Amino acid sequence: MAAKPGIAPTTYSPNLVQKTRPPIFKDNDLDWVRPDGRGFHQCRPAFFRTGAVNSASGSAYAELGNTKVIVSVFGPRESKKAMMYSDTGRLNCNVSYTTFGTPVRGQGSDHKEFSSMLHKALEGAIMLETFPKTTVDVFALVLESGGSDIPVVISCASLALADAGIMMYDLVAAVSVACLGKNLVIDPILEEESYQDGSLMLTCMPSRYEVTQLTFTGEWPTPDINEAMQLCLDACNKLGKVMRTCLKEAASASQEEKLDVCF
């Protein structure tokens, strides 16, 4: 069977008017610019492809800049753990890194904190009541860490669940913002994350305009939190459209394959 096609990398950025802010660093009176040349409120081009793992019930591959993630979904299947009958299904999530995926080689391992964040972001979007007494397992593998890893993992996992046919209220898109001095930088890369004063990540169901998770670290003035949330919400809405386009193109390709078989 031919691999399901992906879509060309698509750039998505919020429409909010960028406020004039002083530069973070100055070097010979030259304003600081982002290492990859993007504007402070510009996200990296996003590439998604479903059907990346043939042995899984559903899967997806995501690439945003140097951040590369693959997610496999298995189930629904009978839970291996002895458990009382439940009217709702169970969701298990695991996030791990390859040994070559981080700047320091040989440090790949399971990431319990990211696994918990992935579970919280997805749980509210899945119709758990549609598969009682069974389990859906989500395995995310970060092939290369390039910054904003967990938002990419969450968005990719949402696509993999949809590819597996798991009933969901909506796709889940995730975007993060870093606070660098007096600047808010959306979709930070690894270098920017190492210098950030604080970070904020928002995950939501774009079609329902419903937040499934909000996390932030560091000290944030209230106005900056509000602006960062609006940036994330607008970017999530645009990212959601990119994700839905990926699913539509995969469905069209699958339909064409069935027609070719019939003829």
Side-chain angles (χ1 to χ4, degrees):
M1 181 182 291
K4 299 181 182 178
I7 62 174
T10 306
T11 299
Y12 58 101
S13 302
N15 286 328
L16 297 183
V17 178
Q18 182 172 342
K19 297 181 179 179
T20 302
R21 293 173 175 269
I24 303 174
F25 306 112
K26 286 188 177 182
D27 184 14
N28 296 327
D29 295 327
L30 295 177
D31 290 353
W32 174 79
V33 295
R34 302 184 71 174
D36 55 9
R38 286 181 292 143
F40 288 173
H41 294 175
Q42 183 181 2
C43 298
R44 293 171 294 180
F47 172 82
F48 293 102
R49 181 170 68 88
T50 56
V53 181
N54 292 331
S55 60
S57 303
S59 59
Y61 170 81
E63 183 174 322
L64 280 77
N66 290 329
T67 304
K68 301 175 179 65
V69 173
I70 191 166
V71 178
S72 303
V73 173
F74 297 90
R77 54 191 179 185
E78 186 176 356
S79 177
K80 295 180 180 179
K81 296 182 179 180
M83 56 185 294
M84 299 288 289
Y85 176 81
S86 174
D87 291 333
T88 60
R90 181 175 178 177
L91 175 67
N92 288 330
C93 296
N94 178 266
V95 178
S96 60
Y97 281 71
T98 60
T99 56
F100 53 83
T102 57
V104 180
R105 301 301 183 186
Q107 287 192 348
S109 63
D110 292 347
H111 202 299
K112 293 183 179 180
E113 181 182 0
F114 281 1
S115 298
S116 177
M117 293 173 71
L118 176 61
H119 184 276
K120 290 178 181 177
L122 296 177
E123 188 177 30
I126 300 174
M127 299 181 183
L128 296 173
E129 66 277 7
T130 60
F131 49 95
K133 206 179 179 181
T134 56
T135 300
V136 169
D137 296 305
V138 178
F139 297 97
L141 180 63
V142 180
L143 302 174
E144 184 175 351
S145 175
S148 300
D149 295 345
I150 186 60
V152 178
V153 166
I154 291 170
S155 300
C156 187
S158 175
L159 272 180
L161 286 166
D163 186 56
I166 303 300
M167 296 294 290
M168 304 173 68
Y169 296 106
D170 190 14
L171 292 172
V172 177
V175 176
S176 62
V177 168
C179 181
L180 291 167
K182 295 183 178 181
N183 296 279
L184 296 183
V185 177
I186 199 167
D187 190 24
I189 62 175
L190 201 60
E191 182 179 349
E192 292 168 334
E193 288 180 332
S194 65
Y195 287 101
Q196 68 187 9
D197 301 308
S199 65
L200 181 147
M201 183 191 71
L202 184 145
T203 68
C204 76
M205 294 183 278
S207 298
R208 298 166 65 95
Y209 206 67
E210 183 176 332
V211 175
T212 61
Q213 184 173 198
L214 173 65
T215 61
F216 59 91
T217 61
E219 296 183 1
W220 285 78
T222 301
D224 283 353
I225 291 180
N226 293 335
E227 182 180 355
M229 289 178 62
Q230 287 300 319
L231 284 169
C232 287
L233 284 169
D234 195 59
C236 281
N237 181 55
K238 295 189 175 184
L239 180 58
K241 293 178 181 178
V242 176
M243 296 163 65
R244 283 191 289 273
T245 299
C246 174
L247 289 175
K248 289 177 182 178
E249 293 192 357
S252 297
S254 177
Q255 187 64 29
E256 291 176 0
E257 288 178 4
K258 291 180 180 179
L259 291 175
D260 289 340
V261 172
C262 291
F263 287 103

